[in-house]
Amino acid sequence: MDIMDRLGHLGVIPVVKIDQADRGPRLAEALSKGGLPCAEITFRTDAAEEAIRLIAKSQPELVVGAGTVLSVAQAQKAVNAGARFIVSPGFDPKVVDWCQLQKVPVIPGAATATEVLMALDKNLTILKFFPAEAAGGIPMLEALAAVFAGIKFVPTGGITASNLVAYLKLPMVFAVGGSWLVPSKLISAGNFDEITRLTVEAVAMVRTERLKGKEK
């Protein structure tokens, strides 16, 4: 199973803002223990690059990627540190081109029809829908999917345990990205048991919803 298939199979991608790189391995362990061996470490802090490096070394079975990648330079740093996929909040052709040249899976952001067209021009069919709730949420996703058959989205931004299932029900949703599983305050406090609990809860919701889908 390749990287994108694994992310789609898991259904939820934890979006992590981490301030202390040395907490990375414990965080990865907590996520894996909860049944979700993947993480998107956002380049919103100076600790991101080193956190990715430590996670990649300590938890090689976990699919670690980099998020909020705004430039080719950041993408290079992330991949060199061990990131196995790249996520951007918007569509930057330079970042996409670099990732494709390096054969690194990339999920660029697309919140408009124009950005989806730009992605299609690069033969990309899995896109980040960000900021999901602020950009129109489920009605906007349904409108885009009605025009762009075959495109799958990873809605991120405003996703919580309360609306996770509503997004998972949508056929155009590949997976959901969320930070509610990995609040920065829990990481800083070292409360990894609570992160595992939140992860278990989310994984159970994904499994239940997908079983319902198969039964229909």
Side-chain angles (χ1 to χ4, degrees):
M1 190 180 294
D2 67 17
I3 298 300
M4 296 302 287
D5 286 341
R6 286 184 66 184
L7 294 177
H9 174 74
L10 292 170
V12 178
I13 304 171
V15 179
V16 181
K17 177 178 176 289
I18 191 167
D19 295 298
Q20 298 156 289
D22 60 356
R23 298 292 171 96
R26 286 288 308 281
L27 170 64
E29 184 181 348
L31 290 171
S32 293
K33 186 178 178 181
L36 204 53
C38 69
E40 173 191 328
I41 309 298
T42 66
F43 263 66
R44 296 184 183 184
T45 70
D46 293 336
E49 183 181 354
E50 183 61 18
I52 290 170
R53 182 174 287 108
L54 293 175
I55 290 171
K57 286 182 179 179
S58 67
Q59 301 281 335
E61 74 285 351
L62 182 137
V63 181
V64 63
T68 320
V69 173
L70 307 179
S71 66
V72 171
Q74 284 186 334
Q76 290 174 324
K77 287 181 179 180
V79 171
N80 288 339
R84 297 165 72 183
F85 65 96
I86 297 294
V87 183
S88 296
F91 192 93
D92 185 335
K94 295 186 294 296
V95 171
V96 169
D97 287 346
W98 184 85
C99 288
Q100 291 184 325
L101 187 64
Q102 301 299 319
K103 296 184 174 11
V104 176
V106 59
I107 308 174
T112 67
T114 298
E115 289 168 319
V116 175
L117 286 170
M118 292 170 68
L120 284 172
D121 188 56
K122 301 289 186 181
N123 296 313
L124 293 172
T125 57
I126 300 173
L127 308 173
K128 177 174 180 171
F129 178 59
F130 176 83
E133 285 289 281
I138 289 173
M140 184 62 172
L141 271 178
E142 291 175 331
L144 287 171
V147 178
F148 299 107
I151 294 291
K152 298 289 185 179
F153 294 94
V154 181
T156 309
I159 312 297
T160 66
S162 63
N163 61 10
L164 170 62
V165 172
Y167 276 94
L168 289 174
K169 287 179 182 292
L170 302 175
M172 78 291 293
V173 168
F174 178 76
V176 169
S179 58
W180 87 93
L181 298 166
V182 284
S184 296
K185 62 182 181 181
L186 291 184
I187 298 173
S188 296
N191 192 350
F192 298 107
D193 287 342
E194 178 62 10
I195 289 174
T196 295
R197 187 193 70 78
L198 292 169
T199 302
V200 168
E201 181 181 81
V203 168
M205 293 168 104
V206 173
R207 287 176 179 167
T208 299
E209 182 53 39
R210 287 184 169 173
L211 280 174
K212 287 180 182 177
K214 289 180 179 179
E215 292 170 356
K216 291 180 180 178

